Each structure stands twice: as C-alpha cells, then as structure tokens.
Amino acid sequence: MLRIFTVFAIGLLFGLGIIVSGMANPAKVLNFFDVAGTWDPSLAFVMGGALAVTAIGYRFVFRMPHPFQANAFALPAIKAIDLRLVGGAAVFGVGWGLSGFCPGGVIPALGIGRTEPAIFVAALVVGMMAAKAFDASRSAARHSALERHDALPEN
Amino acid sequence: MTEFTPLLSALGGVMIGLAAVLLMAFNGRIAGISGILGGLLPPSPASDRAWRVAFLAGMVAAPLAYAVFSGGMPEIQVPMSMPLLAVGGLIVGSGLAYSSGCTSGHGVCGIARLSPRSIVATLTFMATTAVTVFIVRHVFGA
C-alpha cells in the first residue's frame, strides 16, 4: 500500500509540475512553436529545468544497487534508430501541432473537468490501440509468410 | 497570446524533473507518460498495472491539489474544435505506438540519459510539430 501511495505522490508532483509550467495549456504549447507569430518561449524553460534536474538526479540514482521499491531498473532495451522511431515521432509531432496536447500535458488537464481533454485522451487511446493492432497483424503476416517459405523443399 | 512565464515554467520543469528522478529511484521506471499509459492497454500483464494507475491518478489529481494551494482550478485555453482535437488525438496515439515515447519519455528522461534514440526522436517531433503549427496558422491562417 505504501508503495502505491509513493507512486501516486510522485505522479501528483509530476502533474503539478505540468500545470505550473503551462504544459497542460494547449494555447501555450502551440505558441512555443509559433516563432513566426505569437511566440511564447516559456516551454524552453520547462525543458531546461526538467532536463537539468533529471540529468543530475539520474547520475545519483543509477549509483544505487537497485531502486527502493523494485529489484532492478527497467531501462529501454531497444537501441535502434530506425524508420519506426523517426516515422512514429514525426507522426506524433503532427498530432501535437494540431491539438497542442501531448500525453504528459493532457492527463493533468483531465482533472480540470473540461470536455476537451477527455475527448483527446479517448482518441489517443483509440489511436494507440489501432496502431498496435495494425502493427501486430502485419508482423503476424510477415511471420506466416516466412514459415511458408521455410516449408518449401530445398530444390 | 499567452504570457511569457520563464520563472513559473522553469519551476514547473524542475518539479517534472524531480518527479522523473523519484520514479526512477523508487520504482526504477522511466517517467514517460505515453509508455505508462500504453502499458495499461491490452495485452499488457495485469501484475504491472497498479503502479501505472497510481501514477496517472496522481497526475489527474494535480489540478485539485493546485486549486487547494492557489484558490482556483488552473486556466487552460483550447483554441481548436472538438473534431480537430479528436483527429489530433488519433494521430498522436498512432505515432506513439511506433516511437515508444513522447515529450516526457524521450524529451526529458531519454535525453537526460543521453540516449541517441531519444535525441533523434525529440528533434524529429519538435520539427514536425513546428512545421504543423506553421502550416495551420500561417498557411491556412487558422
């Protein structure tokens, strides 16, 4: 129970940071990117503050033998810089630019109780699940094609 | 127009960073919101869900905590129509299924670890976001 409460409190701190910084406000996010128009450079300060603390804090954390509440650090194993990564990131940016919401910004915005964040989160979940299902069906088709190929006689 | 808020934004950034460091220190996890959310969707294992729900619940509770301190809910402006928001959400979700990370996961946690993947992903989505905003606002004049 204490473990779960700790994670809740960390999520609360994260969400408060998002709200105080302005990342939950689509108008502010979009103005950061609108250098040619109503430019608001605030988000550079969000990134700067977050990166400085995380980069320094991680150095200390990774000296620990293991996390306080887990047996090991769960770090991403994938290293490839490929079309999936670049294409996915490019598509994400188009959606971010259209809506002004990214996942970290919209989840705290949900708690304000307005309709727009709820609609965005519903669409986000549908988009994620649809893309994962499409990807899974494609890789399944690839595998069965490979199996058919394997089944061919040698000559 | 939105007001330039360097101090508040830097303070918020520091809080985000602190939370990211604490989540790594306590649970050994990257504070990437798309990843935390994505891990709740099927076919993810049920045993891995409790901490994800707790973290997201804490985030959703943030405006209420903010209101307790400041005396009012945070103000946000959503300058686009509901259909456009829904389209934006679908596009964001489908992109994230492939990029395995967003502003928090790649942009903060990944770059802080100097992960080449995260640096490439962040530069890519910052660029396409800027181009999209330029086209929407200055080509279509929305």
Side-chain angles (χ1 to χ4, degrees), chain A residues 37-55:
Chain A
T38 52
W39 191 41
D40 175 355
S42 303
L43 294 203
F45 291 76
V46 187
M47 278 298 255
L51 265 177
V53 172
T54 310

mmCIF file of all heavy atoms in Angstrom, chain A residues 37-55:
data_model
loop_
_atom_site.group_PDB
_atom_site.id
_atom_site.type_symbol
_atom_site.label_atom_id
_atom_site.label_comp_id
_atom_site.label_asym_id
_atom_site.label_seq_id
_atom_site.Cartn_x
_atom_site.Cartn_y
_atom_site.Cartn_z
ATOM 1 N N GLY A 37 4.792 33.873 -35.246
ATOM 2 C CA GLY A 37 3.559 34.563 -34.852
ATOM 3 C C GLY A 37 3.600 34.989 -33.402
ATOM 4 O O GLY A 37 4.471 35.757 -32.996
ATOM 5 N N THR A 38 2.671 34.432 -32.589
ATOM 6 C CA THR A 38 2.562 34.817 -31.180
ATOM 7 C C THR A 38 3.492 33.955 -30.319
ATOM 8 O O THR A 38 3.044 33.172 -29.487
ATOM 9 C CB THR A 38 1.111 34.640 -30.688
ATOM 10 O OG1 THR A 38 0.678 33.307 -31.019
ATOM 11 C CG2 THR A 38 0.188 35.641 -31.343
ATOM 12 N N TRP A 39 4.805 34.125 -30.534
ATOM 13 C CA TRP A 39 5.787 33.249 -29.889
ATOM 14 C C TRP A 39 5.815 33.454 -28.377
ATOM 15 O O TRP A 39 5.852 34.592 -27.897
ATOM 16 C CB TRP A 39 7.178 33.505 -30.473
ATOM 17 C CG TRP A 39 8.173 32.463 -30.048
ATOM 18 C CD1 TRP A 39 7.960 31.125 -29.960
ATOM 19 C CD2 TRP A 39 9.532 32.681 -29.662
ATOM 20 N NE1 TRP A 39 9.104 30.478 -29.546
ATOM 21 C CE2 TRP A 39 10.082 31.411 -29.356
ATOM 22 C CE3 TRP A 39 10.347 33.815 -29.547
ATOM 23 C CZ2 TRP A 39 11.404 31.250 -28.951
ATOM 24 C CZ3 TRP A 39 11.673 33.642 -29.141
ATOM 25 C CH2 TRP A 39 12.190 32.376 -28.841
ATOM 26 N N ASP A 40 5.786 32.333 -27.638
ATOM 27 C CA ASP A 40 5.931 32.345 -26.182
ATOM 28 C C ASP A 40 7.014 31.327 -25.834
ATOM 29 O O ASP A 40 6.780 30.123 -25.871
ATOM 30 C CB ASP A 40 4.590 31.959 -25.529
ATOM 31 C CG ASP A 40 4.697 31.828 -24.011
ATOM 32 O OD1 ASP A 40 5.812 31.939 -23.467
ATOM 33 O OD2 ASP A 40 3.654 31.598 -23.376
ATOM 34 N N PRO A 41 8.235 31.799 -25.535
ATOM 35 C CA PRO A 41 9.359 30.861 -25.339
ATOM 36 C C PRO A 41 9.334 30.105 -24.013
ATOM 37 O O PRO A 41 10.280 29.368 -23.721
ATOM 38 C CB PRO A 41 10.598 31.759 -25.446
ATOM 39 C CG PRO A 41 10.130 33.153 -25.280
ATOM 40 C CD PRO A 41 8.641 33.205 -25.433
ATOM 41 N N SER A 42 8.277 30.236 -23.220
ATOM 42 C CA SER A 42 8.258 29.634 -21.874
ATOM 43 C C SER A 42 8.660 28.161 -21.851
ATOM 44 O O SER A 42 9.362 27.717 -20.942
ATOM 45 C CB SER A 42 6.862 29.763 -21.259
ATOM 46 O OG SER A 42 6.448 31.101 -21.211
ATOM 47 N N LEU A 43 8.184 27.388 -22.835
ATOM 48 C CA LEU A 43 8.406 25.935 -22.751
ATOM 49 C C LEU A 43 9.877 25.551 -22.815
ATOM 50 O O LEU A 43 10.256 24.479 -22.353
ATOM 51 C CB LEU A 43 7.615 25.194 -23.833
ATOM 52 C CG LEU A 43 6.087 25.247 -23.702
ATOM 53 C CD1 LEU A 43 5.461 24.090 -24.432
ATOM 54 C CD2 LEU A 43 5.628 25.268 -22.260
ATOM 55 N N ALA A 44 10.711 26.437 -23.354
ATOM 56 C CA ALA A 44 12.147 26.161 -23.332
ATOM 57 C C ALA A 44 12.632 26.095 -21.884
ATOM 58 O O ALA A 44 13.531 25.312 -21.550
ATOM 59 C CB ALA A 44 12.899 27.240 -24.103
ATOM 60 N N PHE A 45 12.019 26.893 -21.025
ATOM 61 C CA PHE A 45 12.396 26.901 -19.607
ATOM 62 C C PHE A 45 11.886 25.638 -18.900
ATOM 63 O O PHE A 45 12.513 25.152 -17.971
ATOM 64 C CB PHE A 45 11.860 28.165 -18.924
ATOM 65 C CG PHE A 45 12.555 29.406 -19.390
ATOM 66 C CD1 PHE A 45 12.259 29.972 -20.631
ATOM 67 C CD2 PHE A 45 13.544 29.993 -18.610
ATOM 68 C CE1 PHE A 45 12.931 31.107 -21.069
ATOM 69 C CE2 PHE A 45 14.209 31.124 -19.048
ATOM 70 C CZ PHE A 45 13.899 31.685 -20.283
ATOM 71 N N VAL A 46 10.751 25.106 -19.347
ATOM 72 C CA VAL A 46 10.255 23.829 -18.805
ATOM 73 C C VAL A 46 11.267 22.733 -19.124
ATOM 74 O O VAL A 46 11.710 21.985 -18.245
ATOM 75 C CB VAL A 46 8.888 23.444 -19.411
ATOM 76 C CG1 VAL A 46 8.335 22.209 -18.698
ATOM 77 C CG2 VAL A 46 7.894 24.591 -19.333
ATOM 78 N N MET A 47 11.613 22.654 -20.407
ATOM 79 C CA MET A 47 12.559 21.620 -20.844
ATOM 80 C C MET A 47 13.891 21.783 -20.129
ATOM 81 O O MET A 47 14.485 20.808 -19.661
ATOM 82 C CB MET A 47 12.784 21.719 -22.365
ATOM 83 C CG MET A 47 11.719 21.050 -23.199
ATOM 84 S SD MET A 47 11.622 19.276 -22.894
ATOM 85 C CE MET A 47 12.401 18.637 -24.365
ATOM 86 N N GLY A 48 14.370 23.028 -20.038
ATOM 87 C CA GLY A 48 15.655 23.294 -19.386
ATOM 88 C C GLY A 48 15.636 22.851 -17.932
ATOM 89 O O GLY A 48 16.540 22.137 -17.471
ATOM 90 N N GLY A 49 14.608 23.257 -17.195
ATOM 91 C CA GLY A 49 14.505 22.893 -15.782
ATOM 92 C C GLY A 49 14.401 21.396 -15.588
ATOM 93 O O GLY A 49 15.108 20.800 -14.761
ATOM 94 N N ALA A 50 13.532 20.764 -16.386
ATOM 95 C CA ALA A 50 13.303 19.321 -16.245
ATOM 96 C C ALA A 50 14.562 18.533 -16.602
ATOM 97 O O ALA A 50 14.950 17.595 -15.893
ATOM 98 C CB ALA A 50 12.131 18.884 -17.130
ATOM 99 N N LEU A 51 15.219 18.934 -17.699
ATOM 100 C CA LEU A 51 16.411 18.200 -18.148
ATOM 101 C C LEU A 51 17.562 18.336 -17.160
ATOM 102 O O LEU A 51 18.239 17.345 -16.866
ATOM 103 C CB LEU A 51 16.847 18.726 -19.515
ATOM 104 C CG LEU A 51 16.316 17.941 -20.702
ATOM 105 C CD1 LEU A 51 16.762 18.597 -22.002
ATOM 106 C CD2 LEU A 51 16.818 16.499 -20.639
ATOM 107 N N ALA A 52 17.760 19.546 -16.633
ATOM 108 C CA ALA A 52 18.876 19.753 -15.701
ATOM 109 C C ALA A 52 18.700 18.866 -14.471
ATOM 110 O O ALA A 52 19.623 18.141 -14.074
ATOM 111 C CB ALA A 52 18.940 21.226 -15.293
ATOM 112 N N VAL A 53 17.498 18.884 -13.886
ATOM 113 C CA VAL A 53 17.258 18.100 -12.672
ATOM 114 C C VAL A 53 17.349 16.602 -12.964
ATOM 115 O O VAL A 53 17.957 15.840 -12.198
ATOM 116 C CB VAL A 53 15.879 18.454 -12.073
ATOM 117 C CG1 VAL A 53 15.521 17.518 -10.937
ATOM 118 C CG2 VAL A 53 15.864 19.905 -11.605
ATOM 119 N N THR A 54 16.756 16.166 -14.082
ATOM 120 C CA THR A 54 16.757 14.736 -14.394
ATOM 121 C C THR A 54 18.170 14.228 -14.699
ATOM 122 O O THR A 54 18.581 13.168 -14.212
ATOM 123 C CB THR A 54 15.819 14.446 -15.577
ATOM 124 O OG1 THR A 54 14.559 15.059 -15.328
ATOM 125 C CG2 THR A 54 15.609 12.950 -15.755
ATOM 126 N N ALA A 55 18.913 14.998 -15.494
ATOM 127 C CA ALA A 55 20.265 14.554 -15.875
ATOM 128 C C ALA A 55 21.138 14.404 -14.631
ATOM 129 O O ALA A 55 21.857 13.405 -14.483
ATOM 130 C CB ALA A 55 20.885 15.547 -16.858
#
